Amino acid sequence: MKLLPSACLCLLLLLCKAAAAEDEPTPTVEERRATAVREAFVAKDEAQRTALLAQARPDPWVIAETLRRRGALDAALWWAAGLNKAEEQALRSYLEGLREAPIDERAWATLAEAKKHAGARQREEALKVLVDFAPDPKTVIGIEILSGRGELLVILRRIRECAARLEAAGRAAERIGWRRRAQHNLHKAGQARWTVNDYAACEPLFTAARDHARALGLPAAEGISCYMLGLTLDT
């Protein structure tokens, strides 16, 4: 039995639609969360915002940066308003300061390419992608690239290099008021320095990480940094 021309056309359109869907990249967890935040913003659903903020990951600043990239600055500012006062002020200041700034799509593409390599366990290739790009250290996406270099070096067991990279990324995060990333990076940099017995360099790193955790109201993170700081001072 021959298909009618209209039936053939419908079948062809369905096949083309399916092929196009396969070519579309799967949204990242950050993109999915940003979509949820924007929907909550439109609905003015503060309870949903609180529920989303209660989830440890992704970092709220990364979500705000994703929204800014989409041109949803008002949603990003509304998202920031759900954080504690000190963190809200820092994130709001960051977002307002970049209100007229262009989006660095090359930085986003670089990070996506590196993640693709890393997901395929091509870590050296991922590292090369990040190292070959010069990010803006005054933006969240730029600091994500700087942090990614350090994280990959940890996996590759290049300890001294990773310590320096993570510390640089942590200090860059401090300068824009991004305490969460600063705390994470500086603590990991301290751990790396500890691994190679560089105790003199550990103290300021663990001290800064502790102080950031305390300001953010993260007792577990504060406790870990305090413990490592105590070990360092006793060594």
Side-chain angles (χ1 to χ4, degrees):
M1 178 179 177
K2 293 184 178 180
L3 292 173
L4 295 174
S6 58
C8 290
L9 180 58
C10 288
L11 179 60
L12 181 60
L13 289 172
L14 286 171
L15 290 172
C16 290
K17 187 176 180 180
E22 289 179 0
D23 290 339
E24 291 178 2
T26 302
T28 64
V29 64
E30 293 84 2
E31 290 167 340
R32 294 195 301 272
R33 186 64 53 77
T35 297
V37 170
R38 192 167 189 177
E39 289 171 353
F41 166 70
V42 171
K44 294 296 183 285
D45 189 343
E46 294 187 5
Q48 177 66 356
R49 177 179 64 187
T50 300
L52 291 170
L53 281 168
Q55 300 176 34
R57 289 186 174 82
D59 187 297
W61 281 61
V62 177
I63 303 307
E65 185 81 335
T66 304
L67 288 165
R68 186 177 78 86
R69 182 193 184 193
R70 294 180 179 182
L73 187 63
D74 287 344
L77 291 167
W78 178 81
W79 171 245
L83 297 168
N84 68 46
K85 188 169 184 180
E87 196 171 12
E88 176 198 353
Q89 290 175 343
L91 181 51
R92 179 176 290 276
S93 176
Y94 168 79
L95 292 168
E96 291 286 8
L98 293 176
R99 182 177 284 277
E100 303 299 328
I103 302 300
D104 189 348
E105 290 296 346
R106 286 187 61 229
W108 285 95
T110 296
L111 188 59
E113 183 182 354
K115 286 183 176 180
K116 185 175 179 179
H117 282 300
R121 295 184 178 275
Q122 299 167 347
R123 289 150 185 161
E124 291 285 2
E125 291 85 346
L127 180 60
K128 185 177 187 307
V129 168
L130 296 182
V131 170
D132 286 350
F133 183 77
D136 182 352
K138 298 185 294 298
T139 63
V140 167
I141 186 63
I143 293 169
E144 282 289 89
I145 290 173
L146 296 176
S147 301
R149 294 172 182 173
E151 297 286 357
L152 285 166
L153 287 165
V154 171
I155 297 171
L156 293 168
R157 305 294 297 169
R158 289 158 61 176
I159 304 302
R160 291 188 183 278
E161 288 179 78
C162 83
R165 295 284 192 179
L166 287 169
E167 181 175 0
R171 297 305 184 188
E174 281 183 329
R175 286 191 287 274
I176 68 168
W178 187 7
R179 284 184 176 272
R180 288 175 189 259
R181 177 58 72 189
Q183 189 278 330
H184 175 84
N185 284 353
L186 296 176
H187 183 85
K188 289 195 77 169
Q191 289 179 313
R193 296 289 188 192
W194 175 271
T195 301
V196 294
N197 303 325
D198 189 357
Y199 302 120
C202 290
E203 182 180 347
L205 295 170
F206 289 133
T207 299
R210 177 204 62 192
D211 293 346
H212 287 307
R214 183 175 295 165
L216 290 166
L218 301 174
E222 180 185 349
I224 294 171
S225 292
C226 280
Y227 174 73
M228 291 304 300
L229 179 59
L231 288 180
T232 300
L233 296 174
D234 289 341
T235 301

